[in-house]
């Protein structure tokens, strides 16, 4: 373990506050992982070439940057999403001295990437620009007051629902609370047991998002020690609520706007709602074109009437990676991707909801959306983004939690899965050599 890794781990034990998806060898030729990119950049002159690795549809934005920055060329390399191997590919490449200058990193993965010493502190380059972005996204891109990525997008949670099927089953308003959600589900089941009101969470990220709404976190830090609290009252309330709906057959056991099972059920009029982030609207529009005009968007139901609390699921930053020789130029590109008006518009067109405050006012988001019957869905997304609790702390073993929880949710009851992953997460953090206790 080198001294930089020790410092990084020490920093992670102090604070990891956050909320709850590269060139040709110019940036990757150095094998340094000590964060000494700025020193290397000081002696750099002439054109810059940088590789950018990610899985989102960033190609057009890269082209826009290259057209206006001929001396700082960025080459985009498409890799698997972080959770399906992308982060491992990035880390292995950096270890081999062949890593990118820039990479797409989900907010919740930043602490674990920092433990691996793969992301660079870009505070000196990016801090002056952070006021452009939603505070929750800035917090999620930072550790210990230092910036490790420029926020790109956020995933405010909402309720997507079928207005035509609501009318069919006599539901006059979308459920404002989870109690109303359950009552509506029972009403629909009484009319036709083959119809499901929505779908239960089936992945670790889903359960994290629902827990975030309760105001409780899976991690906290006290002194030099992590506390793991996955099995907390908020998560257990969420798990028991959804397990109860599953047991009564009121919701689909899985499925979402990109899932063939969900799409088939939606096309047949057999599912009325799903709860997910703003970006899921793209799944509806691409996979269920024939249902245009029938879907609407409402605020995420809350646990207490009128409390307004929402949640967030997904979103990522553009991080400068360890070993990059030109971190200043890399940070400029990251800021361009997230805040240049045309780049933001391009991102919106590909389904991203911007972290940029100005981007949230883009006309394409503030006007009526034909797919949703002319509704101004951007207003619902924006309101949700402003109501996300700031109580969440990300932990240093993101991929382990996601993998373990998704697997356990597929074979056990949701409450049992929560208990199981509480134990496996404590063990995983111990394996990193970090101090950890049960919450």
């Amino acid at each position: 373990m080198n001294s930089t890794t020790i410092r990084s781990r020490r920093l992670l034990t102090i604070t990891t506050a956050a909320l709850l998806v590269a060139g040709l060898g110019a940036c990757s030729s150095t094998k340094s992982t000590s964060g000494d990119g700025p020193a290397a950049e000081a002696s750099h002159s002439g054109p810059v070439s940088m590789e950018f690795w990610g899985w989102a549809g960033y190609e057009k934005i890269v082209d826009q940057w290259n057209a206006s920055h001929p001396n700082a060329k960025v080459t985009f390399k498409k890799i698997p999403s972080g959770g399906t191997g992308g982060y491992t590919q990035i880390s292995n490449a950096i270890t081999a001295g062949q890593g990118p200058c820039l990479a797409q990193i989900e907010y919740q993965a930043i602490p674990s990437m920092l433990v691996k010493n793969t992301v660079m502190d870009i505070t000196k380059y990016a801090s002056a620009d952070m006021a452009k972005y939603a505070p929750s996204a800035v917090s999620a891109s930072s550790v210990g007051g230092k910036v490790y990525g420029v926020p790109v997008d956020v995933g405010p949670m909402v309720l997507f629902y079928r207005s035509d099927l609501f009318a069919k089953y006599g539901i006059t308003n979308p459920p404002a609370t989870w109690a109303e959600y359950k009552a509506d589900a029972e009403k629909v089941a009484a009319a036709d047991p083959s119809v499901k009101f929505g779908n239960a969470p089936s992945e670790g990220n889903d359960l994290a998002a629902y827990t975030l709404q309760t105001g409780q976190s899976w991690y906290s830090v006290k002194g030099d020690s992590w506390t793991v609290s996955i099995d907390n009252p908020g998560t257990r309330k969420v798990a028991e609520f959804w397990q109860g709906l599953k047991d009564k057959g009121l919701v689909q056991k899985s499925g979402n706007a990109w899932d063939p099972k969900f799409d088939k059920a939606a096309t047949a009029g057999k599912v009325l709602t799903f709860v997910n982030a703003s970006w899921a609207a793209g799944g509806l529009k691409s996979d269920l074109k024939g249902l245009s005009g029938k879907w609407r968007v409402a605020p995420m139901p809350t646990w207490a009437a009128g409390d307004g609390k929402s949640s967030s699921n997904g979103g990522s930053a553009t991080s400068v990676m360890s070993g990059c020789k030109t971190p200043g130029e890399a940070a400029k590109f990251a800021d361009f991707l997230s805040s240049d008006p045309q780049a933001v518009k391009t991102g919106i067109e590909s389904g991203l909801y911007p972290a940029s405050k100005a981007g949230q006012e883009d006309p394409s988001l503030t006007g009526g959306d034909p797919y949703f019957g002319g509704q101004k869905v951007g207003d619902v997304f924006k309101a949700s983004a402003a109501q996300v609790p700031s109580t969440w702390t990300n932990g240093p073993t993101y991929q382990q939690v996601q993998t373990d929880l998704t697997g356990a949710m597929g074979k056990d009851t949701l409450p049992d899965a929560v208990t199981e992953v509480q134990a496996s997460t404590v063990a995983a953090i111990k394996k990193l050599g970090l101090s950890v206790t049960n919450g």
Side-chain angles (χ1 to χ4, degrees), residues 63-419:
D63 289 343
Q64 290 164 358
W65 163 270
N66 287 334
S68 57
H69 297 78
N71 292 321
K73 182 181 179 181
V74 173
T75 302
F76 183 65
K77 177 181 176 179
K78 205 76 172 272
I79 62 172
S81 66
T84 58
Y87 296 136
T88 298
Q89 187 172 333
I90 291 168
S91 297
N92 289 344
I94 290 175
T95 299
Q98 299 298 320
C101 252
L102 298 131
Q104 177 184 357
I105 308 294
E106 294 163 290
Y107 298 130
Q108 63 266 43
I110 288 176
S112 57
M113 297 297 280
L114 182 55
V115 165
K116 295 176 182 177
N117 194 37
T118 55
V119 291
M120 185 181 292
D121 173 6
I122 57 170
T123 307
K124 66 181 289 185
Y125 304 111
S127 60
D129 295 321
M130 289 297 100
K132 298 177 184 178
Y133 306 107
S136 61
V138 175
S139 176
S141 303
S142 306
V143 177
K146 296 184 181 298
V147 179
Y148 289 92
V150 178
V152 177
D153 61 314
V154 290
M157 296 280 281
V158 296
L159 174 75
F160 294 91
Y161 70 97
R162 285 280 296 274
S163 60
D164 59 330
L165 296 181
F166 268 40
K168 177 179 178 179
Y169 292 103
I171 302 172
T172 56
N173 295 301
T177 66
W178 290 115
E180 291 178 9
Y181 182 98
K182 180 181 178 181
D184 287 340
E186 291 171 338
K187 183 176 183 178
V188 170
D192 186 344
S194 71
V195 177
K196 310 302 180 185
F197 193 68
N199 56 286
S202 58
E203 297 183 354
N205 279 338
D206 298 334
L207 200 60
Y210 284 114
T211 299
L212 169 59
Q213 188 190 29
T214 71
Q216 296 193 282
S217 178
W218 286 353
Y219 303 90
S220 60
V221 179
K222 186 175 183 179
D224 292 343
S225 181
W226 284 95
T227 298
V228 176
S229 303
I230 293 175
D231 195 356
N232 66 54
T235 306
R236 188 152 288 277
K237 176 169 67 173
V238 168
E240 290 172 353
F241 173 82
W242 286 106
Q243 189 63 48
L245 297 184
K246 289 175 66 177
D247 291 345
K248 292 180 179 179
L250 303 179
V251 293
Q252 295 187 128
K253 294 182 179 180
S254 63
N256 225 312
W258 54 87
D259 186 308
K261 291 182 180 178
F262 177 88
D263 292 346
K264 182 178 180 180
T267 301
K270 295 295 185 179
V271 61
L272 278 70
T273 74
F274 72 101
V275 180
N276 213 313
S278 54
W279 46 259
L284 291 178
K285 294 178 180 181
S286 64
D287 293 357
L288 297 170
K289 296 183 178 70
L291 297 178
S292 178
K294 296 181 179 180
W295 287 97
R296 298 290 186 275
V297 180
M300 183 182 187
T302 60
W303 290 104
D307 75 3
K309 288 182 181 177
S310 188
S311 188
S312 181
N313 188 353
S316 61
T318 305
S319 293
V320 180
M321 310 312 289
S322 298
C324 178
K325 291 184 177 180
T326 55
E329 288 298 325
K332 288 179 183 177
F333 167 77
D335 184 62
F336 173 92
L337 186 154
S338 295
S339 66
D340 175 81
Q342 188 57 48
V344 170
K345 186 178 290 292
T346 301
I348 292 171
E349 291 171 353
S350 69
L352 300 177
Y353 187 76
S356 162
K357 296 175 184 176
Q360 293 179 10
E361 301 295 335
D362 187 273
S364 65
L365 294 175
T366 58
D369 189 321
Y371 186 89
F372 295 100
Q375 181 186 2
K376 294 183 177 181
V377 296
D379 292 346
V380 186
F381 298 155
K382 184 178 179 181
S384 173
Q387 295 293 329
V388 178
S390 57
T391 49
W392 189 264
T393 297
N394 282 323
T397 59
Y398 155 70
Q399 192 55 56
Q400 165 265 320
V401 172
Q402 166 68 358
T403 300
D404 288 0
L405 195 49
T406 299
M409 291 167 70
K411 63 184 178 64
D412 300 321
T413 68
L414 298 184
D416 286 346
V418 169
T419 300

Side-chain angles (χ1 to χ4, degrees), residues 2 25-36 93-99 117 322-325:
N2 64 36
C27 289
S28 53
S29 58
T30 177
K31 292 186 182 197
S32 169
T33 57
S34 61
D36 59 355
I94 290 175
T95 299
Q98 299 298 320
N117 194 37
S322 298
C324 178
K325 291 184 177 180

